[in-house]
Amino acid sequence: KAGVTQTPRYLIKTRGQQVTLSCSPISGHRSVSWYQQTPGQGLQFLFEYFSETQRNKGNFPGRFSGRQFSNSRSEMNVSTLELGDSALYLCASSPGTGGTYDPGFFGQGTRLTVV
Amino acid sequence: GDSVTQMEGPVTLSEEACLTINCTYTATGYPSLFWYVQYPGEGLQLLLKATKADDKGSNKGFEATYRKETTSFHLEKGSVQVSDSAVYFCALRPSSGSARQLTFGSGTQLTVLP
């Protein structure tokens, strides 16, 4: 079955702009979580969605937001981009039910570069 | 807060050598522990996990044992292959509370030479 799909794979944006990233989870999975990966900070949790509801949020400013649609696809948005937002953004999916919160697979990520 | 410390990389081994990647954690209670692997050009994927003390997770010849007394979850493999070249991440998830997100270590790059 298809894995976790993230689009686009690469993005270059200018400071002050906003950006929207998309994630399609594995078919049948209802939980989507987002992580930011940078060389300095490693992998840091952004947020998790389950059945269109944000279930958990990491320690990121309000410029970072997300949502989940009824088909479980998720988007994250970053407004007023800063140079420090340059990172690889990873999405992971899990069934999200029966205690199965743990993501088995991540997408390849979206590489965001802010100039 | 919770944290995971992994041995610094990169690690370079010859094929068929033994592998150990150290991982220790700081957390309250009994977190679940994980190893993820990221092959070149791919996303992370769950390699193995353990949810309680003394549990051993295993997959693809890799093993890790949840040691509560030493707060460790070291990854081991008896004979590595070139195809094991990847970045390995240790992670934990709290056992209780509303914050159920994964906390990752910094990753260890493994290169296996033929």
Side-chain angles (χ1 to χ4, degrees):
Chain A
K1 57 183 177 183
V4 181
T5 303
Q6 291 188 245
T7 56
R9 291 291 311 280
Y10 302 93
L11 268 177
I12 299 176
K13 290 287 188 179
T14 304
R15 269 183 303 175
Q17 287 187 312
Q18 75 163 19
V19 67
T20 299
L21 314 181
S22 178
C23 171
S24 293
I26 291 171
S27 178
H29 284 191
R30 294 165 61 189
S31 174
V32 171
S33 50
W34 289 88
Y35 289 80
Q36 181 196 65
Q37 186 177 23
T38 59
Q41 299 296 318
L43 280 151
Q44 293 186 288
F45 173 76
L46 280 157
F47 23 66
E48 181 200 0
Y49 288 88
F50 176 75
S51 291
E52 302 179 67
T53 300
Q54 187 180 86
R55 193 158 64 176
N56 219 344
K57 189 178 193 309
N59 189 26
F60 278 81
R63 300 185 297 106
F64 291 80
S65 63
R67 59 178 175 169
Q68 186 180 34
F69 302 95
S70 59
N71 62 358
S72 295
R73 190 178 70 85
S74 177
E75 289 181 345
M76 68 163 279
N77 185 77
V78 187
S79 62
T80 319
L81 284 166
E82 301 177 0
L83 295 179
D85 297 333
S86 295
L88 181 65
Y89 290 88
L90 295 169
C91 167
S93 76
S94 63
T97 56
T100 54
Y101 307 101
D102 305 322
F105 291 91
F106 285 66
Q108 291 180 286
T110 295
R111 171 75 63 185
L112 171 65
T113 302
V114 182
V115 299
Chain B
D2 297 343
S3 66
V4 176
T5 302
Q6 280 182 243
M7 66 182 284
E8 295 275 335
V11 174
T12 302
L13 296 173
S14 298
E15 203 164 26
E16 300 183 3
C18 294
L19 168 72
T20 299
I21 300 178
N22 291 333
C23 171
T24 57
Y25 69 90
T26 301
T28 55
Y30 290 82
S32 293
L33 301 174
F34 308 84
W35 277 100
Y36 283 85
V37 58
Q38 186 174 30
Y39 298 105
E42 299 183 14
L44 279 77
Q45 58 184 272
L46 179 63
L47 180 61
L48 53 85
K49 70 177 186 181
T51 57
K52 59 183 188 293
D54 300 324
D55 263 4
K56 177 184 284 188
S58 61
N59 186 25
K60 299 182 180 181
F62 290 90
E63 292 183 339
T65 301
Y66 189 143
R67 301 288 188 198
K68 178 66 174 173
E69 63 277 13
T70 55
T71 62
S72 64
F73 193 55
H74 305 322
L75 182 67
E76 299 177 324
K77 188 174 186 182
S79 176
V80 295
Q81 306 301 311
V82 172
S83 57
D84 294 327
S85 298
V87 182
Y88 293 82
F89 293 90
C90 185
L92 70 80
R93 176 173 57 74
S95 57
S96 61
S98 60
R100 301 185 62 85
Q101 67 263 29
L102 295 171
T103 296
F104 285 89
S106 57
T108 302
Q109 172 80 54
L110 170 67
T111 300
V112 181
L113 302 175

